Amino acid sequence: MAAIRHTLQKNVFLPSDERLVGVVHVTKAAKKKKQSFLCAAVTNEKPVTVTVYKVKKSDKGDVYKKQRAWPLRDLKKVDGKDSDKEIAEFDLYFEKVHKWMASSVQEKHSFISCLYKLFTRYLPRLQPNFINISQEHLIDASLQTDTASVVPIIDSIEGNEYQALSSKEETDLEQLMNQCNSSISNAELFVEELAKDLSVLDGANLHSLLASEQQVSDIMDLLERGIAEAENIETRLDKYDMLLQGVKDYMETVTEKDTLITVQTTNRTKLMQCLDSMIQKCDLAHQHQKSLLDGDLSTANGVRECAEAAIALNKSMTVDLDTSLYKMTAVQDQMKLFDKLKATFSKRLSHHLNNLFIHLSNAHEASSSSHTLTAASVESLTLPRHSTMHKELRMYSDLMGWLRTAVPTSYTQLMKLYSQSVGKVCERELRQFFDVARMMLNSKMAEKKLSVAGLPSVISQAAAQGLSSVRSSSSLLSTADSSDLRSSTLDLTERSKFDTILEKMLSEIEPVYFEEEKFCVQFFGFKQAEESQDMSPVKRAGLTDETRMLMLELFPHLEEDLQKFLDVSASVDGFFSLYMLVRVNQHLVSTQETGSSFGKVLAACQLQTKRNFDKFMKAQIRNIEETKVSKKSRCGIISFVDNFASFAEQTENIFKDSNRHSDLEKWYVQLTHTIFDNIVRVAHEHGKTPPEVVMFENFHHMASILSQLKLPCLEAEKREARQKNQDNQAAYVTIYLGRPLEKLNHFFDGVQAVVARGVKEEEVGYQLAYSKQELRKVIKEYPGKEVKKGLDHLYKKVEKHLCEEENLLQVVWRSMQEEFFRQYKHFEDLIARCYPGANITLEFTISDILDYFSDIAQQH
């Protein structure tokens, strides 16, 4: 271990100017094969730093490297595992627990003892806990006898280090060595010469001492005289000191008295300042007291003086004084006076405002009752403003703010009285306002009933039921004919009038609500709510819960009345729900920007209008699904397909520039898919017109409508309608074009089937059923005259199937011509491949076919 210690000191710690003071040969507790050394080293420079290193020997040669370092101050605990048993395991607690196993128990105790003494000397305040280690091991481990395995202890840290020779000592030594150069080889002779020189020097020194004996005696005499003189000076200084001690005592007395006078003066000044401040703060001017007791509360100047006096009183009562000052009789008497003034004035103010609320509400009700609303025109639909009442009360805002702070009970009672008296006025005005609006709406209902009375019985019954059901009201996608349908619903002019009525209502209610809300916030002194990012727009605007509660008391039935009106309007005409959704949303957005609590009322109405809108759109879908068409005549364009254009045009006009257009787009998609599905249903239910004709005519009409609307949300549906139109038209052409050349089609279908079974094309003619003779027989049955006759019959049938509205006859006829050309070329190709060299051709050419189709089209 001594050799390893020497190597570690030389190769590892000496280059870093450190000294090794402790080392132990260890292995990890879990990895016994990996051996290393734990070393404790101190720096040579001051302040001394102690560090614990983990040193590992390299696999290539005797090279040692520092693998890890821990400052000794970071060591929190040393665990010896067991103080009774001799085991080599121990734990060091740095930032985490490090478990080690020493090569021997002696090394373990020696290293732990080294750590203990390092802490005792350099870090006594940070000494960790040494647990499971006997005290004798901590102290006596350095005294063990096995010096080969025990590391040097702290004594070695304090031991004398090697001192190098100075330059002068080196020079003297070299000179001595040069003088004795002849005797270097003979040590005895060199020693004898050194002894002779030493004796010579001792004699010289003794001789020098004897020669300076007289000088020493003179120096001793001088020292004795100096001592005597010093004693005289000391005696004189003692006398001076006694004199100064009296002066010192006197000065201390003077200083103490001066300090007491200064403290007394300072205390007196502070006391006067405190009393002056207390008197100024607790004093209330006589004019203010007079205003509080007898001030005029009916004039603006009197109210202003009373407000100033109330604010001054509140300031005096809430003055910040030291707690001990409140124990003074004068302060207590002044506070009692203030309480008496506050009680007297609050009672006067409450009584005056109580009478004023009742008087103003009665006066406003009397003036508004003289103004009777009529249903003559939309312009006459107005809601009285409360500006006069607000103007009278606004000058009392400061006094209400004082009352809110000083006497909360009186403030609460006044606020309740205001909500009761003004709330009755608002309730009566709103009730009359909604009654007039309903009268206007009922007049439209009467007109609608009159228009229904002149319709056929079946349609009039359905229209009458529509007055109480959104499903049947104003459904442009119902089963009735277009003309009857338009006459059974309100026209665009009447719907526009309803939109005007609704806008007028909201435009009248909104400013009245805003003005009342703004007045309440100012008059009752409601505090502003603290802003936050996750707050609603109403709260961000500064409205508190007490503001919203007061507005709810002032307008208790506003939300309910609005919703009832919206429901009644939706029952009159389902299209009204579209206007309501747009208008209510516009006012809701503007209200949210202002932060008024009216937005909450409109939000509830918005939900109701959205439900009515969804209900109306579901009724349209239900009407489409219940559509039945007459089977006695050709189908043509189905009513809900024909009416979709006017329906979409009206809805687009209503939702123009509205941010609720996305709701309409969702229903557009549902309506379009419902129309597509029910076109297929009606096509299969209609027995007289081929299903393909019903589908391609109606899908063509839907594609035209969607192209005209240019709605981005229906682009996919437009492409789907075009594709279904083309597919069904092609299917119709394929089915009905095979009839003029039916036997030829069957014959060549059989030829293709034979080829598909593996027969070579040139050997088809040897099949008995498909021989050249059989082919000639079939071809002879279709001369040009017969083909033209069959095409003419086909044109008449197609003309009978198609309706006149879509003008698709020529389009279909052109498709049939192209299909006929394709079949003709297909027949010729099969003849050329399966009957080569037979000189068999059809009895008509492509030129003949063009003439046939052209002549037939011109004849009809």
Side-chain angles (χ1 to χ4, degrees):
M1 179 60 74
I4 293 175
R5 180 180 179 280
H6 177 73
T7 303
L8 291 174
Q9 172 64 31
K10 180 180 179 182
N11 297 335
V12 178
F13 296 100
L14 187 60
S16 59
D17 198 18
E18 293 178 302
R19 185 169 67 258
L20 178 64
V21 295
V23 63
V24 59
H25 192 190
V26 296
T27 59
K28 280 285 188 179
K31 301 176 181 179
K32 297 184 179 181
K33 293 185 179 180
K34 295 185 178 181
Q35 299 181 356
S36 56
F37 296 94
L38 282 182
C39 303
V42 296
T43 57
N44 291 327
E45 296 181 355
K46 293 185 180 181
V48 176
T49 302
V50 186
T51 310
V52 178
Y53 293 97
K54 177 185 177 183
V55 180
K56 188 175 181 182
K57 184 178 180 182
S58 176
D59 296 335
K60 299 178 181 180
D62 294 336
V63 179
Y64 295 90
K65 292 183 179 180
K66 295 177 181 177
Q67 190 176 16
R68 193 164 182 183
W70 300 276
L72 189 64
R73 65 174 57 253
D74 293 343
L75 184 60
K76 306 301 180 184
K77 185 168 67 173
V78 180
D79 187 359
K81 291 297 185 179
D82 196 334
S83 59
D84 298 329
K85 296 181 181 179
E86 296 292 332
I87 59 175
E89 295 181 4
F90 65 97
D91 296 343
L92 300 181
Y93 289 76
F94 289 100
E95 72 279 1
K96 62 179 183 179
V97 182
H98 297 273
K99 299 180 180 295
W100 307 100
M101 179 176 287
S103 60
S104 66
V105 178
Q106 185 64 37
E107 286 189 19
K108 165 191 167 182
H109 291 322
S110 298
F111 185 74
I112 292 176
S113 177
C114 177
L115 294 179
Y116 178 80
K117 292 188 177 183
L118 285 170
F119 267 106
T120 303
R121 177 167 178 79
Y122 295 107
L123 301 169
R125 296 183 179 180
L126 300 177
Q127 191 168 51
N129 294 329
F130 288 83
I131 61 174
N132 296 323
I133 302 171
S134 62
Q135 193 69 19
E136 59 183 9
H137 285 149
L138 292 178
I139 299 173
D140 299 336
S142 60
L143 304 177
Q144 301 280 341
T145 58
D146 190 4
T147 58
S149 60
V150 179
V151 297
I153 314 303
I154 300 305
D155 295 338
S156 65
I157 299 173
E158 302 176 4
N160 294 326
E161 298 180 0
Y162 168 72
Q163 300 293 331
L165 295 176
S166 65
S167 59
K168 185 176 184 306
E169 290 174 341
E170 289 181 357
T171 304
D172 294 341
L173 182 60
E174 288 178 358
Q175 184 178 1
L176 178 64
M177 296 295 288
N178 290 330
Q179 292 175 359
C180 303
N181 190 27
S182 61
S183 302
I184 291 298
S185 60
N186 191 344
E188 293 180 358
L189 180 60
F190 181 64
V191 171
E192 290 178 359
E193 290 181 0
L194 290 178
K196 290 179 181 180
D197 292 340
L198 182 61
S199 62
V200 171
L201 291 173
D202 287 340
N205 290 333
L206 182 60
H207 199 61
S208 177
L209 288 173
L210 293 174
S212 59
E213 183 177 358
Q214 184 61 38
Q215 295 177 356
V216 172
S217 298
D218 295 340
I219 290 173
M220 292 300 295
D221 292 339
L222 289 174
L223 289 174
E224 289 177 356
R225 288 197 300 271
I227 292 171
E229 188 67 26
E231 289 177 352
N232 293 332
I233 293 173
E234 186 175 356
T235 303
R236 185 175 295 179
L237 289 176
D238 290 340
K239 292 179 180 180
Y240 291 156
D241 187 55
M242 292 177 63
L243 294 174
L244 290 175
Q245 184 65 36
V247 175
K248 179 181 177 182
D249 295 339
Y250 177 75
M251 292 303 298
E252 286 179 354
T253 305
V254 172
T255 303
E256 184 177 356
K257 289 182 178 180
D258 183 65
T259 303
L260 292 175
I261 293 172
T262 304
V263 170
Q264 183 179 9
T265 305
T266 303
N267 290 339
R268 182 177 296 174
T269 303
K270 289 183 178 180
L271 177 61
M272 292 302 296
Q273 292 176 353
C274 181
L275 291 175
D276 290 340
S277 175
M278 181 190 68
I279 293 172
Q280 290 177 2
K281 292 178 180 179
C282 296
D283 186 31
L284 184 64
H286 178 72
Q287 183 63 34
H288 289 335
Q289 296 183 24
K290 184 178 179 181
S291 298
L292 292 174
L293 293 174
D294 303 319
D296 188 3
L297 293 174
S298 59
T299 62
N301 292 332
V303 170
R304 184 174 63 254
E305 292 176 358
C306 290
E308 293 175 355
I311 293 172
L313 175 63
N314 186 62
K315 185 177 179 181
S316 299
M317 293 185 69
T318 58
V319 64
D320 185 17
L321 295 177
D322 188 84
T323 308
S324 58
L325 294 177
Y326 283 104
K327 298 179 181 180
M328 296 177 62
T329 305
V331 174
Q332 292 177 357
D333 292 342
Q334 190 74 358
M335 289 300 168
K336 289 178 182 179
L337 175 62
F338 290 162
D339 291 335
K340 184 177 180 180
L341 289 173
K342 181 181 74 171
T344 303
F345 181 69
S346 62
K347 185 176 180 180
R348 286 182 59 232
L349 179 62
S350 299
H351 184 266
H352 180 76
L353 290 178
N354 191 348
N355 295 335
L356 188 59
F357 289 162
I358 297 174
H359 171 70
L360 290 176
S361 60
N362 293 335
H364 180 79
E365 187 172 3
S367 62
S368 60
S369 61
S370 61
H371 175 69
T372 305
L373 296 177
T374 62
S377 63
V378 177
E379 289 74 14
S380 64
L381 186 63
T382 57
L383 191 62
R385 304 293 177 89
H386 299 165
S387 55
T388 304
M389 188 187 311
H390 295 165
K391 184 178 179 181
E392 292 289 335
L393 293 175
R394 191 167 281 114
M395 63 180 179
Y396 297 96
S397 300
D398 294 338
L399 290 176
M400 284 299 295
W402 171 82
L403 199 63
R404 175 189 178 97
T405 305
V407 190
T409 54
S410 300
Y411 170 83
T412 305
Q413 291 175 358
L414 284 175
M415 185 167 59
K416 186 176 181 180
L417 177 64
Y418 178 83
S419 64
Q420 290 176 353
S421 56
V422 179
K424 291 179 181 179
V425 176
C426 295
E427 184 177 1
R428 189 190 64 80
E429 292 174 348
L430 286 173
R431 184 171 61 251
Q432 183 181 1
F433 181 77
F434 281 107
D435 288 342
V436 174
R438 279 192 287 269
M439 288 171 60
M440 291 182 176
L441 189 63
N442 290 335
S443 65
K444 310 305 176 189
M445 293 175 62
E447 294 174 6
K448 183 173 181 179
K449 290 180 180 179
L450 289 176
S451 65
V452 170
L455 297 177
S457 59
V458 176
I459 300 176
S460 63
Q461 291 174 5
Q465 293 174 357
L467 295 176
S468 59
S469 172
V470 179
R471 174 192 170 198
S472 301
S473 65
S474 62
S475 172
L476 284 180
L477 303 178
S478 65
T479 61
D481 292 338
S482 177
S483 59
D484 293 337
L485 185 62
R486 292 187 180 92
S487 64
S488 64
T489 57
L490 300 178
D491 57 13
L492 293 177
T493 304
E494 298 301 327
R495 290 172 182 156
S496 156
K497 289 182 179 179
F498 167 77
D499 185 40
T500 307
I501 293 173
L502 180 60
E503 174 63 21
K504 180 67 174 176
M505 289 178 60
L506 295 176
S507 300
E508 287 293 322
I509 295 174
E510 190 172 315
V512 172
Y513 194 98
F514 287 173
E515 290 175 3
E516 189 65 40
E517 185 177 62
K518 183 179 179 180
F519 169 76
C520 289
V521 171
Q522 180 183 358
F523 181 72
F524 291 103
F526 293 139
K527 296 180 180 179
Q528 299 292 315
E530 295 182 0
E531 293 189 5
S532 176
Q533 292 295 328
D534 55 352
M535 280 186 174
S536 63
V538 175
K539 290 187 177 181
R540 282 200 297 270
L543 296 182
T544 56
D545 292 335
E546 54 187 0
T547 308
R548 290 186 288 275
M549 290 299 297
L550 180 59
M551 295 306 297
L552 185 61
E553 293 175 0
L554 291 173
F555 300 93
H557 305 296
L558 176 59
E559 180 179 329
E560 181 182 356
D561 291 340
L562 264 177
Q563 290 185 356
K564 285 182 179 179
F565 178 79
L566 296 175
D567 290 339
V568 171
S569 302
S571 67
V572 173
D573 188 353
F575 258 93
F576 287 172
S577 61
L578 279 67
Y579 289 98
M580 291 185 286
L581 182 64
V582 173
R583 286 298 178 190
V584 173
N585 182 72
Q586 288 177 354
H587 285 269
L588 176 60
V589 172
S590 63
T591 303
Q592 287 178 341
E593 292 176 355
T594 60
S596 172
S597 59
F598 186 59
K600 187 176 181 181
V601 177
L602 290 179
C605 295
Q606 179 78 320
L607 292 176
Q608 184 65 26
T609 55
K610 182 61 169 62
R611 283 194 289 266
N612 291 336
F613 170 73
D614 293 339
K615 190 176 180 182
F616 172 71
M617 300 304 289
K618 289 178 182 178
Q620 307 308 308
I621 292 178
R622 190 162 55 249
N623 289 335
I624 294 172
E625 294 172 346
E626 295 175 357
T627 297
K628 302 293 181 183
V629 296
S630 175
K631 299 180 181 179
K632 296 180 180 180
S633 60
R634 61 186 175 188
C635 183
I637 303 302
I638 307 172
S639 59
F640 55 75
V641 175
D642 188 31
N643 293 335
F644 181 74
S646 58
F647 176 83
E649 182 181 356
Q650 292 188 36
T651 53
E652 283 299 307
N653 289 332
I654 296 171
F655 280 83
K656 185 179 181 181
D657 300 330
S658 174
N659 57 1
R660 302 292 301 197
H661 197 274
S662 58
D663 297 324
L664 182 61
E665 291 177 354
K666 294 177 183 178
W667 280 108
Y668 273 154
V669 176
Q670 294 188 40
L671 282 172
T672 306
H673 285 289
T674 303
I675 289 174
F676 288 175
D677 295 339
N678 284 273
I679 287 174
V680 178
R681 176 184 63 80
V682 172
H684 289 91
E685 290 179 355
H686 198 280
K688 191 168 185 178
T689 305
E692 293 79 13
V693 174
V694 177
M695 285 190 283
F696 80 70
E697 282 185 333
N698 284 278
F699 280 119
H700 178 269
H701 193 76
M702 281 298 298
S704 301
I705 294 174
L706 296 178
S707 298
Q708 294 173 4
L709 292 176
K710 297 180 181 180
L711 294 173
C713 63
L714 295 179
E715 282 296 320
E717 285 70 19
K718 181 176 69 175
R719 292 192 294 270
E720 182 181 356
R722 288 176 177 174
Q723 185 62 41
K724 290 186 176 182
N725 169 39
Q726 296 172 2
D727 294 344
N728 285 283
Q729 185 176 330
Y732 176 74
V733 170
T734 302
I735 293 172
Y736 284 90
L737 189 59
R739 294 180 181 177
L741 304 175
E742 187 172 359
K743 292 183 179 180
L744 270 176
N745 279 318
H746 287 315
F747 183 84
F748 284 109
D749 287 344
V751 170
Q752 289 178 322
V754 170
V755 173
R757 288 198 298 269
V759 178
K760 296 181 179 180
E761 292 181 345
E762 58 271 14
E763 296 178 357
V764 172
Y766 298 105
Q767 299 288 327
L768 184 60
Y770 304 103
S771 62
K772 299 174 183 178
Q773 292 78 8
E774 292 294 330
L775 177 59
R776 287 190 179 97
K777 287 180 182 180
V778 175
I779 290 175
K780 285 181 180 181
E781 293 183 12
Y782 292 99
K785 183 178 180 181
E786 192 66 28
V787 171
K788 184 176 180 181
K789 183 179 179 181
L791 290 175
D792 185 67
H793 179 71
L794 176 62
Y795 186 88
K796 292 179 180 178
K797 187 173 287 294
V798 173
E799 187 177 21
K800 184 178 179 181
H801 287 164
L802 299 182
C803 65
E804 298 177 357
E805 292 86 349
E806 287 300 294
N807 294 322
L808 294 177
L809 179 59
Q810 295 303 321
V811 177
V812 175
W813 189 243
R814 179 62 180 266
S815 299
M816 287 189 169
Q817 178 181 317
E818 293 175 356
E819 179 64 21
F820 199 89
F821 285 163
R822 190 192 63 79
Q823 291 185 13
Y824 181 86
K825 292 178 181 179
H826 178 63
F827 294 158
E828 283 190 336
D829 181 60
L830 286 176
I831 292 172
R833 288 189 287 110
C834 298
Y835 304 94
N839 295 324
I840 301 175
T841 59
L842 298 174
E843 294 188 1
F844 52 90
T845 64
I846 291 180
S847 179
D848 295 334
I849 296 172
L850 285 172
D851 293 338
Y852 298 159
F853 275 93
S854 179
D855 293 342
I856 292 170
Q858 291 177 1
Q859 291 174 6
H860 297 277

